[in-house]
Structure formats: structure tokens, C-alpha cells
């Protein structure tokens, strides 16, 4: 199996995929595009394949050449940009504008969304928007993109000049985040993991740092099958209350929770590709997951904001530190060291992050 990223190597989805493949008995190879890759540092990585970054014109050719030269079962893109660059299945689902339209068409609830193309007219509409709001990229075509963020004032939007990518603006919503992940095959949901987020990082618009599996919702699964019509593979759909926020047609960061809960989505997908039809499966409810680094940052931020005492933050982290995060990960220290080296370089040589693009309203979806 070839795990394809194309970014700086800090993609947790790539690492989670390598560990899940190892748990299922596969020998993963990993593309590396410069820097120290978390996935390549894993003791379960069996081959490192240098390729250009996903932004480079030679990225797709290098990946296709590698697949043609070796007997891989398949290549698994683990980022939206890699899916688009390789023209892999799911490309239409990573376009958030298209996704929101398709979700409405199948009866799902989405936030009121306004999408913008590349222009400097954001400044002219900043005073007309209702705050707080969430701004996020409509399409991640590059390894360098500004993630979703909360915006509270017009001046924060005015600082987002000079970009080139389309963006989506939605009301900032509060509530319980949850997700449904699984594997779709020939119109069937052959495996699924329902999970509730306990904490996220960043705290306003982030990924799960603490989560727990929950009982399946057959109604939600039927909706997702309609949304995913024509797609086959691994996916994760994220919700906030009744609202669909995002859909990842690929492996994702909290994949170790699925492995711990008895549903190795990557392993199931590989078995299907080899002609093996596993029995339909659902994750065991009540299994917990922790992303240690993100959870520590979440708890520290709560303490610094005066929302908890330092003692309670430390106790929360200590109480949860033994929560399972995927069986292979417990024996895999290489990625931890690679992450520490990356963080050290960031401190010594901080990078300047480009400002996100200025955008123009072109349409509104109710």
C-alpha cells in the first residue's frame, strides 16, 4: 500500500493510515515531499518514496510512476490536495461548495453558506456580515492553506487580503460535534464508526482531541449513503448538532479510534479491493480516543483563558492519558520524536504564513 500525502509531512492522517495498515497486516510505503514525515518515521513504514510536493506539476507523475513500478494494492491519498492532484475518487466531495449543494439535495441540514471567489471585495462586504462567523477554504488544492477559523470583527476579515483561493463563510455555530466514518462499497455501508467529540483543537474550529464511539444512527447512515452515491472508499462526515460541516473522502486523523473500536476501516477497504467481502460491522460504543498533543493544548488554553484551574486541567489530562489511541501507536515512538524535531525547528526558525485570500461573494445557499 502506498500512502500519499504531498505536504510537509506533519499530516496525522498519513500516520494514522500507516498504523492502521500495519494493524491489518499490510506493509505501507509513504511518499515524502521534504522535511521530516511523521508517517515515514513510523516503525511500521516499510518504504519511503521521495516525490515533489502536491503543489508541483511533477507530483502526480511521480506518484503514478511509483505505483506502476511496484506491486502496490493501491495508492491511498490522505489529503484533499492529493486527491485532486491525482484525480482520485472523491474529488467532487472535497469541494465544499459542491458538497453543500449535494447535501441539501439529499435532505441534509447545512449551515447557511456564502461562498466567495478570488478578489479584493471582501473589504467592501465586511461591515455587512453577521459576526461571529467561520471562514474556511472551499477547496484545498495546495499543501499550504489557511485552515478554518473563527472571525469576530470586520477588521479580522480586512486582514485577509491578497489570496487566490475560494472561501466559504458560515455563521459560527456552537454545539456538540460528532462524526460518522466508514467504508462505502457498491452502494452499501459495509463498516461505520459513530463518534462524539469531547474536545477539539483549535478550540473554535478544530479536530477531535478527545472522542468516544457512540451507538449507530441508521437514519444518519441512510442520509450519508445518498450523499455518497457513486463513491466507493473510506470517508468521514463531520457534524455540529444537525448540521453537516465537512466530508473527507479519505482516511482522517482520528482513525485510530476506529481501529481501537474493532473497525479498521483501512484494513476493510484493502480486503474489499482484494475481493474479500467482510461482514458488515459497526464500532463498539464507549471506546475513547485521545490526540495527546492537541488535547494538552486544548486543556492548557482553557486554563489560560480562566475557564479552569491548572489543577483540573492536569487531572483531566492524567485521567485520560491511558485512553486507547490505536493498538500500533503505543509501540511507535518514531513519529513522536519527529514531531518534537519539527516543533523545535519552528521555534528556532519560525515561518511566515501567507495571509488567507480576500474573497468576493458570488452566491448564497439557504
Amino acid at each position: 500500500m502506498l500512502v500519499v500525502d504531498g505536504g510537509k509531512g506533519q499530516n496525522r492522517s498519513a500516520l494514522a493510515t500507516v498504523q492502521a495498515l500495519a494493524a491489518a497486516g499490510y506493509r505501507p510505503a509513504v511518499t515524502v515531499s521534504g522535511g521530516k514525515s511523521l508517517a515515514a518515521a513510523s516503525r511500521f513504514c516499510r518504504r519511503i518514496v521521495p516525490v515533489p510536493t502536491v503543489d508541483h506539476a511533477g507530483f502526480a507523475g511521480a506518484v503514478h510512476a511509483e505505483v506502476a513500478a511496484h506491486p502496490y494494492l493501491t495508492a491511498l491519498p490522505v489529503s484533499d490536495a492529493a486527491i485532486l492532484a491525482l484525480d482520485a475518487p472523491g474529488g467532487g466531495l472535497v469541494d465544499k461548495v459542491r458538497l453543500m449543494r449535494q447535501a441539501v439535495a439529499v435532505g441534509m441540514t447545512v449551515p447557511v453558506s456564502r461562498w466567495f471567489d478570488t478578489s479584493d471585495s471582501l473589504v467592501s462586504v465586511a461591515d455587512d456580515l453577521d459576526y461571529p462567523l467561520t471562514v474556511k477554504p472551499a477547496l484545498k488544492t495546495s499543501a499550504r492553506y489557511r485552515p478554518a477559523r473563527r472571525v469576530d470583527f470586520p477588521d479580522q476579515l480586512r486582514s485577509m487580503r491578497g489570496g487566490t483561493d475560494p472561501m466559504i463563510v458560515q455563521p459560527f455555530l456552537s454545539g456538540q460535534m460528532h462524526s460518522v466514518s466508514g467504508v462505502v462499497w457498491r452502494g452499501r455501508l459495509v463498516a461505520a464508526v459513530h463518534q462524539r467529540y469531547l474536545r477539539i483543537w483549535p478550540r473554535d474550529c478544530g479536530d477531535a482531541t478527545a472522542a468516544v464511539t457512540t451507538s449507530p444512527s441508521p437514519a444518519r447512515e441512510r442520509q450519508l449513503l445518498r450523499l455518497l452515491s457513486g463513491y466507493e472508499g473510506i470517508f468521514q462526515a463531520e457534524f455540529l448538532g444537525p448540521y453537516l460541516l465537512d466530508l473527507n473522502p479519505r482516511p482522517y486523523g482520528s482513525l485510530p479510534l476506529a481501529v481501537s473500536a474493532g473497525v479498521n476501516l483501512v484494513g476493510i477497504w484493502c480486503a474489499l479491493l482484494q475481493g474479500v467481502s467482510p461482514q458488515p460491522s459497526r464500532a463498539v460504543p464507549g471506546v475513547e480516543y485521545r490526540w495527546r498533543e492537541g488535547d494538552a493544548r486544548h486543556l492548557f488554553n482553557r486554563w489560560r483563558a480562566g475557564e479552569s484551574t491548572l489543577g483540573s486541567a492536569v487531572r483531566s489530562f492524567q485521567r485520560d492519558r491511558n485512553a486507547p489511541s490505536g493498538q500500533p501507536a503505543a509501540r511507535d515512538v518514531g513519529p513522536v520524536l519527529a514531531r518534537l524535531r519539527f516543533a523545535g525547528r519552528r521555534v528556532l526558525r519560525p515561518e511566515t504564513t501567507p495571509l488567507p485570500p480576500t474573497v468576493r461573494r458570488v452566491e448564497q445557499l439557504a
Side-chain angles (χ1 to χ4, degrees):
M1 293 292 296
L2 180 63
V3 179
V4 183
D5 180 9
K8 295 181 179 180
Q10 300 303 297
N11 189 337
R12 293 187 302 113
S13 300
L15 173 59
T17 302
V18 165
Q19 293 173 340
L21 285 167
Y26 293 90
R27 301 178 60 197
V30 177
T31 65
V32 175
S33 302
K36 188 63 175 177
S37 165
L38 300 180
S42 170
R43 67 191 292 261
F44 303 107
C45 175
R46 295 295 180 260
R47 177 179 171 81
I48 297 174
V49 182
V51 300
T53 64
V54 72
D55 308 277
H56 194 278
F59 171 78
V63 173
H64 291 317
E66 173 67 16
V67 172
H70 296 87
Y72 293 113
L73 176 60
T74 190
L76 268 177
V78 292
S79 69
D80 290 2
I83 288 174
L84 294 169
L86 298 175
D87 195 23
L93 295 168
V94 301
D95 182 336
K96 290 183 174 56
V97 174
R98 182 174 173 181
L99 174 66
M100 294 295 108
R101 288 173 171 159
Q102 291 178 210
V104 170
V106 300
M108 301 183 79
T109 303
V110 303
V112 174
S113 303
R114 301 173 65 177
W115 46 91
F116 303 78
D117 65 5
T118 57
S119 77
D120 288 334
S121 63
L122 173 63
V123 172
S124 65
V125 301
D127 290 326
D128 300 328
L129 300 175
D130 295 325
Y131 298 86
L133 50 82
T134 300
V135 179
K136 54 189 176 184
L139 198 63
K140 302 172 186 176
T141 58
S142 168
R144 297 179 66 86
Y145 66 90
R146 193 71 172 263
R149 62 175 294 188
R150 172 174 170 164
V151 177
D152 293 295
F153 308 105
D155 284 346
Q156 291 177 280
L157 283 181
R158 293 188 181 100
S159 70
M160 299 181 184
R161 291 188 174 94
T164 59
D165 295 328
M167 305 287 283
I168 277 191
V169 172
Q170 298 171 334
F172 180 80
L173 303 172
S174 59
Q176 179 67 63
M177 286 193 66
H178 57 102
S179 69
V180 181
S181 310
V183 176
V184 177
W185 178 255
R186 296 178 180 175
R188 296 185 302 116
L189 186 59
V190 298
V193 181
H194 295 246
Q195 65 187 60
R196 176 168 52 90
Y197 295 12
L198 305 176
R199 292 185 288 274
I200 64 172
W201 181 258
R203 289 185 60 192
D204 289 328
C205 304
D207 299 323
T209 70
V212 59
T213 52
T214 59
S215 299
S217 167
R220 182 68 77 192
E221 291 183 0
R222 288 193 295 270
Q223 279 187 324
L224 284 170
L225 272 179
R226 292 195 295 271
L227 180 64
L228 293 162
S229 177
Y231 172 74
E232 290 186 343
I234 301 166
F235 74 91
Q236 180 195 39
E238 294 187 296
F239 298 85
L240 192 152
Y243 298 102
L244 175 69
L245 297 183
D246 201 0
L247 192 141
N248 302 310
R250 54 172 173 79
Y252 53 94
S254 60
L255 180 64
L257 177 56
V259 178
S260 294
V263 184
N264 188 333
L265 301 178
V266 174
I268 291 169
W269 175 239
C270 292
L272 289 165
L273 292 176
Q274 295 183 87
V276 178
S277 297
Q279 292 296 318
S281 57
R282 298 295 183 267
V284 176
V287 179
E288 297 185 347
Y289 158 82
R290 297 292 178 271
W291 167 29
R292 312 297 187 198
E293 177 188 340
D295 212 29
R297 296 171 76 176
H298 174 107
L299 293 167
F300 176 76
N301 183 268
R302 284 180 57 185
W303 166 72
R304 193 170 64 173
E307 298 174 13
S308 71
T309 65
L310 180 60
S312 66
V314 171
R315 285 191 296 273
S316 293
F317 190 77
Q318 289 179 331
R319 181 173 62 250
D320 299 334
R321 65 185 176 183
N322 293 322
S325 57
Q327 186 62 28
R331 310 190 304 274
D332 202 6
V333 298
V336 177
L337 300 177
R339 180 62 179 167
L340 290 173
R341 286 193 292 268
F342 175 81
R345 288 196 299 269
R346 290 287 294 272
V347 171
L348 295 175
R349 297 193 301 273
E351 297 181 5
T352 300
T353 303
L355 291 174
T358 298
V359 293
R360 175 171 64 84
R361 178 182 178 184
V362 296
E363 192 171 352
Q364 177 169 330
L365 173 69

